[in-house]
Amino acid sequence: SSGLYALGSGSSYALGAVHALAGNKPVSSPQQARTIATKALGIASRLDPHTGPPIQAFTQTRDARSDKT
C-alpha cells in the first residue's frame, strides 16, 4: 500500500493527483503533505462537478511518544 488515501465525491480524482504530484518519493514533512493534498484537491475540483472550494486541509500527525515498538 502507498499509505495515501482520499475521501469524498472527488476522491478518485484527488488520489490520482496525489500519486502524480508525490511520485515515488516519500513525503518528508506535514507541510509538504498539506501542499500536495491542496494541489490535488484543486485538480479534483476542476474534474469533478461535486468537488469544489472552499478547501479545508487538516494535517494529522502521529505522536512518537505513543509508539510502543
Side-chain angles (χ1 to χ4, degrees), residues 2-69:
S2 66
L4 303 172
Y5 58 93
L7 303 170
S9 63
S11 62
S12 59
Y13 295 107
L15 190 57
V18 165
H19 281 281
L21 292 166
N24 293 328
K25 301 178 221 169
V27 176
S28 61
S29 71
Q31 294 80 15
Q32 183 185 21
R34 184 183 187 109
T35 299
I36 290 170
T38 302
K39 287 180 180 180
L41 287 169
I43 292 167
S45 71
R46 290 193 299 270
L47 300 171
D48 179 49
H50 304 292
T51 302
I55 294 170
Q56 297 177 341
F58 299 92
T59 305
Q60 180 179 345
T61 59
R62 182 175 65 185
D63 184 0
R65 295 175 294 174
S66 66
D67 288 345
K68 295 184 181 186
T69 56

